[in-house]
Amino acid sequence: MKWILILVLVTSVAILGCTPAEKSTPEPVKDSAPDPSFDEAMGTSVDTSVWLTDYNKALEQAKSMKRPVLVNFTGSDWCGWCIKLSNEVFTKDEFIAYAKSDLLLLKLDFPRSIPQTPEVKAANDKLAKQYGITGFPSIVLISPEGKEIARTGYQPGGAAAYVKHLQGLLATNK
C-alpha cells in the first residue's frame, strides 16, 4: 500500500511540475542588478550573456539588437524542474554560446526564500498573469515587442538538445 501511495505522489509531481504556492514575505532587498550566475558561467561581462530582470529594459535591448527574448519564469530556489533546467541547460557552454549570439535572456523569479522588493514581486506577478503562467518552469519566447512566439519548459537531453529545441520553435513560429 505504501508503494502505491509513493508511486501516485511521484507521478503527480512529474505530471504537474512546479506550481506556485503561498509564500512568506522575507525581508525585501534591492533586485535591480542582473543575475550574476549566467555571467559567472560565461566568465565575461558582455550584456547579452546576462539574465536581465527588468522586462522593459529587456524589450528595449531586444529591439535594438533585433533578437527574441527568452523569458524564464522560474522558482529558482524551490522548483525542482527549474533547478534541473538551470543546471542541465542554462549553465552549459552550448546554451551560453547560443544565447549570447541569438537571444536576449530575461529571468522572472518567484522565489520562496530569496528576498525581493515589493516592486519586483508585483512586476513579476503582473507578467505571469499577462502571459498566463500557471506552473514553473515556463519558458516563453517573445518578440522584441513582447508578443509571444512560442512556449516551452524543461526538456530532457541537455543543453545541445535544448538549443535545437529552441531553434526549432523559433524557426516554426517566424
Side-chain angles (χ1 to χ4, degrees):
M1 185 68 170
K2 259 191 207 178
W3 290 108
I4 293 173
L5 181 59
I6 291 170
L7 181 61
V8 168
L9 181 61
V10 168
T11 304
S12 298
V13 169
I15 291 172
L16 297 176
C18 300
T19 55
E22 290 300 313
K23 41 194 170 192
S24 63
T25 308
E27 188 71 27
V29 296
K30 281 287 184 196
D31 186 18
S32 58
D35 179 6
S37 59
F38 193 87
D39 197 44
E40 288 168 5
M42 281 298 294
T44 182
S45 302
V46 179
D47 286 345
T48 58
S49 66
V50 249
W51 287 93
L52 301 174
T53 57
D54 183 292
Y55 178 78
N56 293 323
K57 287 181 184 176
L59 291 184
E60 188 178 298
Q61 278 192 347
K63 284 177 188 170
S64 70
M65 299 170 80
K66 297 180 172 69
R67 292 185 184 183
V69 180
L70 182 146
V71 186
N72 178 15
F73 289 90
T74 183
S76 68
D77 66 344
W78 60 270
C79 168
W81 292 108
C82 302
I83 294 165
K84 191 172 176 78
L85 180 60
S86 180
N87 290 340
E88 290 180 10
V89 175
F90 296 151
T91 59
K92 302 300 180 197
D93 291 340
E94 298 92 342
F95 177 81
I96 292 168
Y98 172 65
K100 187 173 180 181
S101 66
D102 294 319
L103 298 171
L104 199 73
L105 302 172
L106 175 63
K107 179 179 176 182
L108 300 177
D109 200 3
F110 297 80
R112 289 188 179 160
S113 62
I114 299 170
Q116 290 180 315
T117 64
E119 295 81 14
V120 168
K121 286 181 186 182
N124 290 357
D125 286 340
K126 179 182 175 190
L127 290 165
K129 286 182 182 131
Q130 177 180 329
Y131 287 100
I133 303 303
T134 58
F136 301 112
S138 288
I139 304 300
V140 182
L141 294 165
I142 62 173
S143 71
E145 294 74 36
K147 182 179 180 233
E148 184 172 329
I149 298 169
R151 181 179 296 240
T152 190
Y154 173 81
Q155 298 285 316
Y162 204 81
V163 167
K164 286 181 184 171
H165 172 64
L166 293 174
Q167 290 169 330
L169 290 173
L170 289 168
T172 304
N173 294 296
K174 273 196 172 182

